[in-house]
Amino acid sequence: MKMLASFALAVAAIGLSAPAAAQFQKPEDAVKYRKAAFTVMGAHFGRIGAMANGKVPFDAKVAADNAVIVETMSKLPYAGFVPGTDKGDTRALPAIWTEQVKFNAAAEKMQGEVSKLAAAAKTGNLDAVKTAFGAAGQSCKACHDDFRKD
Ligand code: ASC
């Protein structure tokens, strides 16, 4: 029984770690995946930005719907930063893998800020959206400055 239980635990552990580890057949697939996730995230972040910057009229529902997408997307790219994928069609800097603690902290900072943006958007208050959008944008930029070419 004890052995069966530990076998079941081991299977469960493998199952949990499988999505990130076995998601990509080739390194290029991981690069494509993370770039696609950032592209979608940026598109929806930009729609909120247009409202925050007064380029399009503020629509609370549109802002909230986009912020939910940004929040969801923010969780996805990092599975694509597989070791050895600093080559090819990517602007990822090697520092991502040599300064992993710092990179992960930057990722978590951004995820926290976009969660705050989603919460702000739910209130329907444009000033709250502007503030949260600015902070989220800073967290994007901070990571680009340290971990992305140009
Ligand atoms: C965007 C977008 C980013 C960030 C960044 C903020 O709209 O696509 O990557 O904001 O430019 O500095």
Side-chain angles (χ1 to χ4, degrees), residues 133-146:
F133 178 83
Q138 276 305 312
S139 72
C140 299
K141 186 179 183 300
C143 198
H144 295 165
D145 288 349
D146 289 340

Side-chain angles (χ1 to χ4, degrees), residues 9-43:
L9 268 178
V11 169
I14 290 164
L16 284 175
S17 61
Q23 197 165 8
F24 308 108
Q25 302 273 337
K26 300 178 274 158
E28 310 89 87
D29 294 346
V31 172
K32 259 197 247 173
Y33 174 90
R34 72 197 186 211
K35 286 169 74 173
F38 281 127
T39 297
V40 173
M41 183 166 68

